[in-house]
Amino acid sequence: MAEFPTQARVVIIGGGAVGASSLYHLARAGWTDCVLLEKNELTAGSTWHAAGNVPTFSTSWSIMNMQRYSTELYRGLAEEVDYPMNYHVTGSIRLGHSRERVQEFERAKGMGRYQGMDIEMMSPKEAQDIYPFLELHDLQGVLYDPNDGDIDPSQLTQALAKGARDMGARIERFCPATGVSRENGEWIVHTHKGDIRCEYVVNAAGYYAQQVGEWFKPYGGRTVPMMVMSHQYMLTDEIPEIEAFTRDHGKLPLLRDVDSSYYLRQEKTGLNLGPYERNCKAHWITPDDPFPEDFSFQLYPDDLERLEWYIEDAMARVPLLGRVGVNKVINGPIPYAPDGLPLIGPMPGVPNAFEACVFTFGIAQSGGAGKVLAEWITEGQTEWDMWAVDPRRYTDYTDSDYCIAKGMETYGHEYAMHFPWHSWPAGRDRKLSPVHDKVRELGGVMGAYNGWERANWFAKPGDDTSEETTQTWNRAGPWEARIREECEAVRDHVGVLDLPGFSRFNLGGVGAAEWLRTRIAGGLPRPGRMNLAYFADERGRVVTEMSVMRHSEDFFTLITAASAQWHDWDLLQSTLPNGVDLTDQTRDYSALIVTGPDSRALFAALAPDADLTLPWLSHQPAEVAGQPAALARVSFAGELGWEIHAANEHIPAIYQAVLDAGARPFGMFALNSLRIEKGYRAWKGDLSTDYSLLEAGLERFVKLDKIEDFPGKVALQAEKQRGSAKRFVTLLVDAGDADAPYMSTLWHDGEVVGETTSGAWGYRIGGSVALGMLRSDLAVPGTRIEVEIYGERRPATVQPDQPLWDPGNERLRA
C-alpha cells in the first residue's frame, strides 16, 4: 500500500459522485497529483440513496449544458474506464396540464435543440403509444426527451473513481478531513492520518458542506448557504404487466408529472415514485434534531403521510401503481441551496478554495460539474458561463432562516415554472432601502435583487397584485398599464427609481490608476468624469462591466450590478497590488435615478448650487434638498437625467423632495423596457463569458492599441483580425402575446443562427425588442430572421447598430 500522501496539487473533500467526477476531470486535464478524502466509503452520503435519474431538461442554459454533458459522458464511461455500469437511456415524458406548461416545454425544446439534443413535443395520445399504462385526463401536451434515463449512482461513482485512479490520482477512504489551515500561500488539510499540503482545496462534502465551509471562515470565508431536506421515494412490488411490456419493448420511459410534482420510473419490473411535496420537511435545524457527526449510509424513518395526495394522484395517472404494494421506502437527506441549484466555483473571499457542493440533482449534474470545476481550477475560466451556479451569486443575506425558508419553498415547487413577472415570497425583506416603507406606501410591488428589495412596478388602488396573476409568460397583466405609464412619465416628464444595492467599491492609493489600466480593456476617465469599463478573461470574453467614477488621479469609485458584489470584489482583490486599497461601500450608500426631460428643472430647484450644464458622463458633489450627495450625469433609461448617490441617512429627505417636485416613481420592469430600447446590456444576460467583448458589440470600449496589456488583449487582437463569428444585434420582433425570453433561438432559412439575450416591449417605440447574438454574416440591418418564442417562430428584423430610441443620444445629452 502506498504511503499516505503529504503533498498534492488539489485536495477534494467528499467522496460522492461530484467529488469523484471532480477528481476524474482534474486527472483528465493532466492534474494527476490530486487527492480525494472520504470520511467513510465512497457514496456514503446523498449519492448512496439517490434515485439516479439523469435528465437533460432545464430552463437554465448553463444547467442544461451541464446535464447534457453528463449524459454524453456516461454513455461511454463504462468502456472508457473498464468498469460495468447500469445506465438505462429510456427517454422520458413530461406531462403538461396547462397552456403555460406547454409553453415552458416549447422553450426547453428550443434550447435543447440549439445544444444538439432531439427533444420534441408529443400529443398525449402519442405519449400513450410509448407508455400504454398512462391515463390522459387533463393533459394538454407532453415533452419527450430521448436522452433521459437512469443510472446506478454507486456504479457511476466507482467508475469515475477508477478512471481517476488509473490516471494517477489518489483516493483516501475512511479518512475524514478534520480542518484546514494556511501557511506560506499553501493549504494544509488535516486528517487523523496526517496533513496534506496543497495548492487548492475543494469542498465537495455534500450535506456536510456547511460544516466543512466553517473551516475557511478565518481565511475570509462565509457560512455556506444551504439546508437539508428530507426526500422520500417509494419502490413497489413487481408488476406483471410491466414485466410483460419490458420483455417486448424494453424499459418504460421515465414519467414526470411536473404539475402534480412527482416522477414515476420503472425500477426492475416495478415502479419508483418520487414526489416533491409542498408539505415538505427540513432536517437538522432544531435542537431536538441536531446535525449528526456521521450519517453515512443512513436514512430517516418513513413519513408516507406527507405523500398521500401525490400517491393518489400518481395512481390515477398510472392505475397499475394502485394494484401493488409498497416494497421499500427511501427517506434520505438532500442538500438544498436557496434556489435549488448547486454551488460550483470559487469559494467567496478565500484564495485557491473552491466549492462543488449542495447538489439537489447530483447524479444528473455530477459529470458536468466535474468538468466545470476542473476548468475553474486548471484554467481559471469555464467553457460555458456558469453564473447560475457560481457560489458568489449569494452574499451577506443568506442566514440560516433564509436558507431554510427558501430551501423548503424551492423543494415544494421543484417543478414550478419561473414566470418573468413572478417573485417568490419566501425569504424576503433581507436588505431594505432607506425609503422601503415609502416605496411600498406608493404602491411598490417588490422583487429581490441580491437580497435587496426594489419595486418592480407601482400598483394603483384596485390593481390585482395577487401571486396568481403572475402565472403567465405573456406580457398582459395588471402590471402592463402601469409599466406603460411609468415609461411615458420618464419619456415626457420625470421619473424617480429607488435603486438600493448597487455594488460600490472605493479604489485608492498610489498606483491605483496604473493598475486599473492593466485590468480593463479600455481607458480611464479624467477626474470629474466617468465611463464604462469592461474586464475580460484571457479569451477576451466579458467577465464584468463597471462604471468608473474618477475623483482624482488615483482615487475612484467603481459601481457594478447588485448581484455582482462578491464576484467583482474577488476579481479586483485577487490582483490588487500592495499600496492600493479597496473598500466595499455597498451597505453604506444608496442611489436614486432621476430621469426625464424635466429632470434639469427639478434639480435646478432642489440643487441650486449644482452645475447642471456639466456634460453627460460627468459627476460632481452637490447638495440635493439640503443633503450632501453626488450627482452623476448618466441614465440607464436613456433620457436626460442624473443618478443621486448619497449615504443612506440622507436618502429619505432627498427621495421625498424629488417626489414633491413632481417625479413619478417607476420600477425595475419599466427600467428594463427603457434600457432595451437603448440597446444597453445587462450583466449575466447580454454580458457574459459566453461572448467576447467584440461579439458583444463593445468595440468602442476596447483599446487594442493602448500600451498596457490586459487580460484577453491577445485573443481580442486575433479575433479582430479574423472577424467575429457572432455579432450583437437589436431586433424588432413581431412578438405576439409574449416577448422573447433569454436564450430564445434565432432561425434563418431553417437553420439555427443565434440566440436572444434579453427581450421586452418598448413602450416609447411601440414594439417588441430583443437583444441577441447573431451569425455575423446575417448581422446586417434589414435581415429578416425568426425568433422562437415559446414554440412559435415569430418574424424579426435586424436593426441598425444604434439605439432604437433617440439614436443620436440627443435627449440623453440635452
Side-chain angles (χ1 to χ4, degrees):
M1 183 68 183
E3 291 183 5
F4 182 76
T6 58
Q7 290 198 343
R9 203 164 186 186
V10 183
V11 171
I12 298 169
I13 301 170
V18 173
S21 179
S22 299
L23 188 71
Y24 169 82
H25 282 88
L26 283 166
R28 202 158 79 164
W31 286 39
T32 56
D33 184 15
C34 299
V35 175
L36 183 150
L37 301 176
E38 166 54 44
K39 69 189 304 180
N40 196 286
E41 180 57 88
L42 294 180
T43 77
S46 295
T47 299
W48 166 67
H49 61 77
N53 300 331
V54 187
T56 60
F57 176 94
S58 179
T59 53
S60 162
W61 184 254
S62 53
I63 293 292
M64 182 177 273
N65 259 321
M66 203 162 67
Q67 294 181 170
R68 171 186 54 79
Y69 173 86
S70 290
T71 64
E72 294 166 355
L73 173 72
Y74 299 166
R75 282 195 201 100
L77 186 62
E79 184 177 353
E80 180 184 332
V81 303
D82 191 25
Y83 191 94
M85 284 196 305
N86 289 319
Y87 179 31
H88 309 111
V89 181
T90 60
S92 72
I93 53 174
R94 285 177 185 259
L95 310 182
H97 296 213
S98 66
R99 176 177 179 269
E100 288 76 19
R101 182 66 77 175
V102 171
Q103 286 178 287
E104 181 199 48
F105 287 169
E106 290 281 8
R107 170 160 161 68
K109 181 191 81 171
M111 291 169 59
R113 290 192 169 234
Y114 194 147
Q115 291 191 17
M117 297 185 288
D118 296 325
I119 297 175
E120 60 185 81
M121 292 297 298
M122 284 182 168
S123 69
K125 183 63 181 70
E126 288 171 323
Q128 194 178 51
D129 290 341
I130 62 172
Y131 201 115
F133 311 115
L134 180 70
E135 294 294 317
L136 303 183
H137 56 275
D138 299 334
L139 297 184
Q140 292 206 17
V142 177
L143 184 75
Y144 176 64
D145 178 1
N147 297 310
D148 208 334
D150 63 272
I151 198 167
D152 184 298
S154 178
Q155 291 175 345
L156 169 64
T157 306
Q158 296 294 347
L160 291 164
K162 181 178 185 297
R165 286 190 188 104
D166 288 349
M167 288 182 277
R170 290 284 299 271
I171 296 176
E172 292 291 327
R173 298 173 301 136
F174 304 102
C175 183
T178 58
V180 299
S181 55
R182 191 154 174 81
E183 186 178 282
N184 299 325
E186 288 185 317
W187 288 107
I188 305 169
V189 181
H190 306 295
T191 81
H192 68 272
K193 292 184 180 180
D195 293 343
I196 308 177
R197 285 184 171 269
C198 59
E199 293 179 55
Y200 301 93
V201 182
V202 178
N203 180 357
Y207 50 73
Y208 283 95
Q210 194 170 82
Q211 280 62 36
V212 170
E214 294 299 295
W215 302 340
F216 294 88
K217 288 181 82 170
Y219 308 101
R222 81 327 182 195
T223 297
V224 175
M226 62 171 288
M227 50 85 72
V228 177
M229 290 299 304
S230 154
H231 176 62
Q232 298 184 90
Y233 62 90
M234 48 181 278
L235 306 174
T236 73
D237 293 329
E238 294 183 0
I239 302 173
E241 292 90 337
I242 290 180
E243 183 179 13
F245 178 90
T246 306
R247 275 198 310 269
D248 296 337
H249 305 284
K251 198 172 179 181
L252 282 167
L254 201 159
L255 182 153
R256 291 184 182 84
D257 195 329
V258 288
D259 290 311
S260 294
S261 195
Y262 59 79
Y263 67 82
L264 189 65
R265 192 187 88 200
Q266 181 177 336
E267 187 74 26
K268 296 182 180 176
T269 56
L271 291 170
N272 171 345
L273 173 64
Y276 291 90
E277 71 276 17
R278 294 284 171 88
N279 57 326
C280 52
K281 183 175 182 179
H283 266 290
W284 306 332
I285 61 173
T286 58
D288 61 344
D289 183 25
F291 201 95
E293 186 175 330
D294 189 3
F295 202 72
S296 300
F297 297 113
Q298 296 182 56
L299 296 172
Y300 304 130
D302 301 351
D303 191 8
L304 285 179
E305 286 186 14
R306 299 203 324 253
L307 308 185
E308 186 175 339
W309 183 91
Y310 302 89
I311 294 169
E312 291 177 357
D313 190 82
M315 289 192 299
R317 182 65 61 196
V318 180
L320 281 180
L321 182 65
R323 300 177 194 168
V324 291
V326 175
N327 180 272
K328 190 176 185 180
V329 176
I330 306 295
N331 184 10
I334 296 183
Y336 262 74
D339 61 4
L341 302 183
L343 306 176
I344 314 173
M347 188 182 294
V350 184
N352 288 4
F354 290 81
E355 292 175 340
C357 53
V358 199
F359 281 78
T360 298
F361 297 101
I363 305 306
Q365 295 168 1
S366 61
K371 165 188 158 63
V372 169
L373 191 279
E375 289 170 348
W376 263 125
I377 293 176
T378 62
E379 302 174 32
Q381 55 199 19
T382 54
E383 178 184 354
W384 316 305
D385 188 278
M386 295 305 297
W387 179 244
V389 299
D390 193 310
R392 297 167 295 184
R393 70 188 187 273
Y394 294 113
T395 60
D396 55 356
Y397 58 96
T398 56
D399 62 15
S400 178
D401 288 346
Y402 175 85
C403 291
I404 292 166
K406 293 301 289 183
M408 293 183 72
E409 179 183 65
T410 301
Y411 180 94
H413 298 83
E414 186 59 65
Y415 294 126
M417 293 173 276
H418 295 269
F419 295 107
W421 313 106
H422 177 252
S423 291
W424 293 97
R428 297 299 295 273
D429 291 351
R430 308 306 293 180
K431 294 192 280 191
L432 303 181
S433 155
V435 293
H436 176 78
D437 291 343
K438 182 65 178 179
V439 169
R440 293 293 303 270
E441 179 190 318
L442 293 168
V445 180
M446 311 304 285
Y449 298 81
N450 189 28
W452 290 96
E453 294 289 322
R454 294 175 178 171
N456 283 328
W457 60 287
F458 284 84
K460 289 185 175 179
D463 286 345
D464 187 350
T465 59
S466 67
E467 200 173 344
E468 288 72 26
T469 64
T470 66
Q471 311 296 302
T472 179
W473 306 108
N474 292 351
R475 189 183 313 112
W479 52 83
E480 187 182 18
R482 305 296 166 247
I483 296 171
R484 178 187 298 277
E485 291 167 3
E486 292 168 25
C487 290
E488 289 172 349
V490 169
R491 180 194 67 192
D492 299 335
H493 303 292
V494 60
V496 57
L497 174 65
D498 176 48
L499 200 64
F502 264 144
S503 302
R504 184 186 308 267
F505 312 118
N506 280 351
L507 179 75
V510 176
E514 181 182 355
W515 170 77
L516 193 53
R517 284 192 193 95
T518 68
R519 308 313 301 162
I520 63 174
L524 294 175
R526 300 188 307 274
R529 301 301 301 272
M530 60 189 298
N531 66 5
L532 284 176
Y534 290 91
F535 293 70
D537 63 19
E538 293 299 336
R539 300 165 298 185
R541 297 189 187 181
V542 183
V543 174
T544 197
E545 169 195 79
M546 298 189 192
S547 292
V548 178
M549 301 173 69
R550 192 171 192 173
H551 305 290
S552 61
E553 179 61 27
D554 274 323
F555 182 46
F556 303 85
T557 297
L558 309 177
I559 297 176
T560 78
S563 57
Q565 184 183 0
W566 281 9
H567 175 280
D568 285 4
W569 174 267
D570 272 3
L571 179 70
L572 295 166
Q573 188 71 37
S574 62
T575 61
L576 199 68
N578 291 332
V580 176
D581 297 318
L582 185 69
T583 57
D584 190 333
Q585 305 283 311
T586 304
R587 280 279 194 173
D588 302 324
Y589 288 81
S590 195
L592 305 173
I593 294 178
V594 181
T595 185
D598 293 346
S599 58
R600 180 174 278 116
L602 181 148
F603 280 109
L606 297 186
D609 296 330
D611 185 352
L612 301 179
T613 67
L614 289 178
W616 184 47
L617 299 179
S618 62
H619 63 92
Q620 61 182 307
E623 278 200 357
V624 182
Q627 307 295 316
L631 288 181
R633 193 170 162 198
V634 289
S635 172
F636 202 48
E639 299 284 352
L640 173 69
W642 283 261
E643 290 177 357
I644 306 173
H645 297 267
N648 289 331
E649 61 266 28
H650 302 306
I651 289 290
I654 298 173
Y655 188 60
Q656 187 62 55
V658 170
L659 292 171
D660 291 344
R664 173 169 178 155
F666 68 100
M668 297 298 290
F669 290 165
L671 183 65
N672 188 55
S673 168
L674 296 164
R675 69 97 185 166
I676 281 178
E677 289 175 307
K678 291 294 291 183
Y680 294 161
R681 282 67 152 171
W683 189 66
K684 290 307 179 188
D686 314 295
L687 301 172
S688 79
T689 56
D690 283 332
Y691 310 116
S692 77
L693 293 178
L694 299 184
E695 287 175 332
L698 301 172
E699 194 163 348
R700 66 189 182 279
F701 300 101
V702 179
K703 295 179 66 175
L704 292 176
D705 58 349
K706 74 176 186 177
I707 298 170
E708 296 86 4
D709 287 329
F710 59 87
K713 184 177 182 179
V714 173
L716 291 168
Q717 287 172 329
E719 183 183 340
K720 176 80 172 171
Q721 243 181 351
R722 70 175 181 270
S724 302
K726 290 181 176 181
R727 295 296 296 181
F728 179 87
V729 292
T730 300
L731 304 168
L732 271 180
V733 189
D734 178 8
D737 294 332
D739 301 306
Y742 175 66
M743 285 295 169
S744 299
T745 305
L746 303 182
W747 294 84
H748 183 262
D749 289 345
E751 285 185 67
V752 174
V753 293
E755 68 274 1
T756 62
T757 53
S758 56
W761 186 266
Y763 290 95
R764 289 177 298 193
I765 67 160
S768 185
V769 187
L771 309 181
M773 291 291 176
L774 183 63
R775 205 175 69 197
S776 290
D777 62 303
L778 299 173
V780 177
T783 302
R784 301 280 291 171
I785 62 170
E786 294 174 304
V787 182
E788 185 174 340
I789 302 177
Y790 304 115
E792 280 190 84
R793 295 192 194 176
R794 306 292 303 190
T797 306
V798 178
Q799 300 301 298
D801 185 17
Q802 61 187 23
L804 293 175
W805 176 252
D806 185 26
N809 289 327
E810 293 166 5
R811 296 168 67 93
L812 195 65
R813 299 172 186 266

